[in-house]
Structure formats: structure tokens, C-alpha cells
Amino acid sequence: MVELSQTIDPSQLKNRKLGRIFTKLGIVSREQVHAALESRSNDPSKSKMKIGELMMEMGLVNSDQLGVALAGQRGLQFKRLTGVVIPQETLRALTPEAANVMRVVPLEIDPAAKTITVAVGSHANFQAVDNLRMNMYPGYEITVVVSTPADIDEVIRREYSKKMDVGELFSEVNRSEAVKNLQGRGDSIDVASLEDVASDNAVVRLVTNMLAQAIANRASDIHLEPFEDEFKMRYRIDGVLYEMKSQAKEIAMAIVSRVKILAKLDIAERRLPQDGRISYQLAADKEPIDLRVAVLPTMYGESVVLRVLDRSAVQLELDRIGLREDELKTMRAIINKPNGIVLVTGPTGSGKTTTLYAALRELNQVDTKILTAEDPVEYDIHGMIQCQVNLDQELTFARLLRSFLRQDPDIILVGEIRDLETAQIAIQASLTGHLVFATLHTNDAPSSILRLLDLGVESFLLTATIEAIVAQRLVRRICMKCKEEFVPSEEHLMELNLRMADVQARTLYRGRGCDACTKSGYKGRMALFEIMLMDDELRELVMQQASTSVLQAESRKRGMRTLRESGLLALYEGQTTIDEVVRETISSGE
């Protein structure tokens, strides 16, 4: 293996052509470089190949040698980590979660001089270095060396296999002089002190670990909650909150100040709610992760909730959101209608936005103009014009919609119909030839009609515009690593209005609980759908202001599968449990 030796200064190789670097390092001869270039010129199929890729294909260099050359081309030292002993105090510069996600290994650190040297597995992993510089070690001079991906993986496996005790991180924060400086000062804390504690190394490491652990555990929300005698940190995973060990209330202001700085919020303002956003890219091969930050003043300090918007964890394709084959066919027919209103309904956190984004992405073509009014914009989708509601500027859903109609759209998304004015403008847009998607908060599809009537919408306008209503819920999936058969009790089945005879020929499952699912027995979630298609008979019932139960009964006669029936299918297929179906759905007769 060829390394950059002491006699070759990496800066001498910076910006040189790769072929010249290979020859200078003695990896290949000039004749071999010329042969590779001639091969690329003579073979059209190789015309777009980079010289490094071509020489690897020809067997002239290997991946490690290419790493040496690419590092030198950028003026970076290449270093093998085999046999290198890294002190434990240096390794503690990164938490196991951060090292694993960013694929970075610390080699040297000097807190007094504010310098740190790290090894990366690829010269292209600049996002991880930027993250270190901005979020973990602000003010530090960071030196980067390049190693092989195999070396990085081996060190992480060997040195970080045992996770750092989170309690140790909290202890470091409690021992921090900057944190101690805040204790007992009440509200008389100046901005300089808050900035000092927010940039304290122990606080930075704790917050970074918190974010990395949340992302690794697929958390959708991080809750930071102050109480009279303690400070709680909780993660919401698959819709359920899990509490970490409560901490002393004294560290609350330090952690909240760090989060507010990352979200570019005013750290001096502690009496008013604030909203912000953090963009977090941990590594070059990872999708950017957005965190939506909401700060709320309470009796005992500021409560913070961070919503994790991880694009890599969200499926924004219509055929990957959990629709069954018949539901997918129906859904595609609905969203390809030329005009009308399509409603998606369900409680907060039921996946409505994901379903709508998946539908819009499928419709997002060069010949289609799509405008969205959202509160807030959760995912930026290329090709769509997305607008955010801003109540401080009196930019409401209704005001945005009025402006949309002058923008010549084909499709409009209304984040939520909250009032009569918004509903009326959505109906107007539908009647003038636009396809309108919108959300509501109702228990099922048929009750959406009653909700709109209660808002004051005329029944004849509903019959003229609504094409379909889709209700949905999210239930937790059984963990595949610890999935096991089980026989429910008679009482357990009665919660679903089932008898033993109903499941005698079926096998039901549950999760035993393992490390992969944090002992919960569940990992991931799946959607249950209820799709109500409007036809002439249903429209006539709406005109007569029929009850929700009548609308549901008639829709079921026309083939609508209720949320409870969708849940039973998932139960019989071994995807979820009785408890989940009971928790998220009500029976058709209830």
C-alpha cells in the first residue's frame, strides 16, 4: 500500500491532475497513464469515465491507492489507521452515535489550543467536517486526514461498540463552569452568559448526541420539558413517547439555549413562543435532516419540541405509503381527475401530509403547475411552488388561496380547511376547473361531510365538488426480529368484537421485545386507509343531510373498507397487533 511519505508534502499535490499524482507517488508509470488516456479516447463507452475509475477498471490502481491520490489532490494527508492507538479521552470527543452516523474518527484533540484532528473515509465527506465545525466544535481549528472506509469502519466497530453512557454526558454538563455560572441567577442572565453556555463543549456534545440518537432511533419528535424539580427529555418513536432519565433542572437553560442558537432563534427572548428550523447534514452519503423547532414559555422555563423531518425515513411515493393493490388503483383514479376536491382526514400525526405529498409527487410533471399552502412547509419538493402560512403577517390559508387563483395553477393543496372562508375558496377553485387537495381533522371519512356542514358550507356545494374522502391512521408494525405467534384470550378478542371461532383458522402474532425494537415489540409503522368515493346516490344522501352512520353504511355497500376492517386485514396478515388496531380504530357499529 502506498502512503504519502514524509518527503512528499501533500500541498505539493494539491489541484494536480490525477494521472500526474499517480506517477509522482510511484503508483503507476507515465506510460500506463498515457495508455489509460488513449483507451478513453478510443472507446466511446469510456469517454465519460473519470481517470481514477478507468485506471481501477484496468487494474492499474486499487481503491486505497485512489484514496491516496484523491486526498493528495485536495492537499489532504492520507493515513492508514491499522495499528494506530487512539487515546480514550480523544475518542470521547465524539459520541458513538455521532461517530457512526458521520463516519468520522477523532485522532487528536487539544481543548486548550482549540484544535482537533479527525479521519474520514472519503475526501468527499465534507458535510461531516462542516457539521463538526459549526455544530460540535465551533471555534476549533479542524485538521482532516483521509483514511480508507474499511479503516474507519474498523475503528468505529472496535472503539465505539459499547455506547457511551448518556449519564456521563449529563455529568459533564453539570460539571461545566459555564452551566454552574447560570445557577441561582433566575431571570437575571445576560446574553453573553447564554452564548457562553450554548457554545460550551459539554453542552454541544450532549445536544449533538441527543439529535444523533433520535435520528438513529427513528424518532419523529424530541421533547425537552422543564418542571419544578427536574428536566425531562423524551423521544416519540412510532407514535409513542419514551422518556430518558430525568435530569436536574439546572441544565435546562443550557440545552435550550444551544437548540435556540442552532435554530437561529433569539436566546435572550424567554417570554414569547418562537419557531425555527435546523438543517442537519451529518454525513456526505446521508440525506439532509430538517428539525422544526417550537419553543413555548412555561411556568418553569421554556419547553422545546423538535419535529424530525428525515426525508430518508419517509416514503413519498404513492406505491410505498402502505396502500393495498386495490386501494392504490382507486387512489390513482381519484388524483387524476381533472377537477374536484379530494379530502384526506385524520388526527394529527396520522400521516396525512405524507399521503398528500406522495400524490402530488406522482402528479408533479413539467406540464402541471402545483401550488401548495402549508402550515408549515415540511418537505421541499422540487417542481412545486410551496407557500407557508404566516399568521403574524395575516397570511392565512384563505388569503393564499385567493392569490393562488390568479397564478394559473392546475392543482392546489390546502394544508388544512379550518374555517368557512377557506372552505368556500377551495370550493370556488374546484368549480373553476382546478383539482384541490385538502386535509381535515375528523374520525373517519363519512364524518367529514358533517364537519363541513357544521362550518357552514352548503350541501349542494359539497355534492358539486367533493370527489373522494380518504381517512387514515398509523399503527405500529410488529418487530420482525422478535415476532412470535400467540393465542389471544377471549377478553382480548372482545375488544375487536371478535370470538375465538373468528380467528381459529388464523395465526396471530406479537413482538416479544428485543434490542432492535428497544424492547417494545414494534418497529416502524404502517397506514390504514378508508376511501369513500362519492357517487350520485351518496350525493343525494348528502343533499338530504343524512347522518354519518347512513353515509357509512351506504359507502360500505359500495365497497368501502372501513379503518377497522383495514386494521383487521393487517392483523390477520401478521403485520400488527390487536392492541394497535383497538387503539387506532373504532368498529363500524360504534
Side-chain angles (χ1 to χ4, degrees), residues 314-331:
V314 177
Q315 305 296 341
L316 294 180
E317 284 82 32
L318 204 57
D319 56 356
R320 300 182 67 182
I321 62 173
L323 289 163
R324 298 179 181 278
E325 192 171 337
D326 59 330
E327 293 170 337
L328 179 60
K329 184 178 178 181
T330 301
M331 195 70 172

Side-chain angles (χ1 to χ4, degrees), residues 27-256:
I27 297 174
V28 296
S29 64
R30 289 187 178 182
E31 290 75 17
Q32 288 174 313
V33 174
H34 290 313
L37 292 171
E38 188 175 343
S39 170
R40 186 170 66 178
S41 300
N42 295 334
D43 189 344
S45 66
K46 299 178 180 178
S47 60
K48 294 184 179 181
M49 289 184 70
K50 294 180 179 179
I51 186 65
E53 297 172 349
L54 181 59
M55 296 182 77
M56 278 187 63
E57 184 181 271
M58 296 174 67
L60 299 176
V61 300
N62 59 37
S63 59
D64 286 352
Q65 291 169 333
L66 178 60
V68 173
L70 288 172
Q73 193 177 47
R74 286 157 179 79
L76 300 175
Q77 177 72 53
F78 184 90
K79 183 179 183 68
R80 292 301 304 268
L81 301 183
T82 305
V84 173
V85 178
I86 306 172
Q88 287 300 309
E89 58 269 23
T90 300
L91 290 168
R92 283 198 293 271
L94 286 181
T95 63
E97 289 81 7
N100 271 285
V101 174
M102 293 191 294
R103 313 310 297 170
V104 171
V105 171
L107 299 179
E108 296 175 10
I109 184 168
D110 186 343
K114 284 203 162 187
T115 61
I116 183 171
T117 300
V118 297
V120 296
S122 167
H123 65 280
N125 194 6
F126 56 86
Q127 283 94 345
V129 178
D130 287 344
N131 186 42
L132 283 169
R133 183 176 291 112
M134 292 186 295
N135 298 323
M136 299 181 67
Y137 286 96
Y140 271 63
E141 180 183 337
I142 298 178
T143 302
V144 180
V145 301
V146 179
S147 188
T148 66
D151 280 4
I152 296 292
D153 290 344
E154 172 58 24
V155 173
I156 290 175
R157 184 198 64 77
R158 184 180 70 243
E159 302 293 350
Y160 291 109
S161 58
K162 292 184 178 179
K163 291 191 174 183
M164 179 185 292
D165 182 7
V166 177
E168 184 179 337
L169 287 173
F170 280 110
S171 297
E172 286 186 18
V173 171
N174 284 314
R175 292 194 301 267
S176 164
E177 289 299 323
V179 173
K180 290 179 180 178
N181 185 44
L182 298 183
Q183 295 177 10
R185 294 176 60 181
D187 292 331
S188 60
I189 299 176
D190 57 279
V191 175
S193 297
L194 291 173
E195 289 175 343
D196 285 345
V197 76
S199 59
D200 182 81
N201 191 35
V203 175
V204 170
R205 291 177 62 214
L206 177 59
V207 172
T208 302
N209 177 78
M210 174 187 73
L211 298 180
Q213 187 173 327
I215 293 163
N217 290 335
R218 302 168 293 102
S220 61
D221 300 88
I222 306 167
H223 294 248
L224 309 176
E225 302 165 326
F227 293 92
E228 184 177 9
D229 300 314
E230 62 183 354
F231 176 65
K232 289 185 178 182
M233 295 174 60
R234 298 195 286 177
Y235 293 159
R236 188 179 295 279
I237 301 172
D238 294 335
V240 177
L241 278 171
Y242 294 89
E243 184 178 339
M244 297 176 65
K245 185 179 179 181
S246 297
Q247 300 298 320
K249 65 177 182 179
E250 285 77 16
I251 70 170
M253 191 172 290
I255 294 174
V256 170

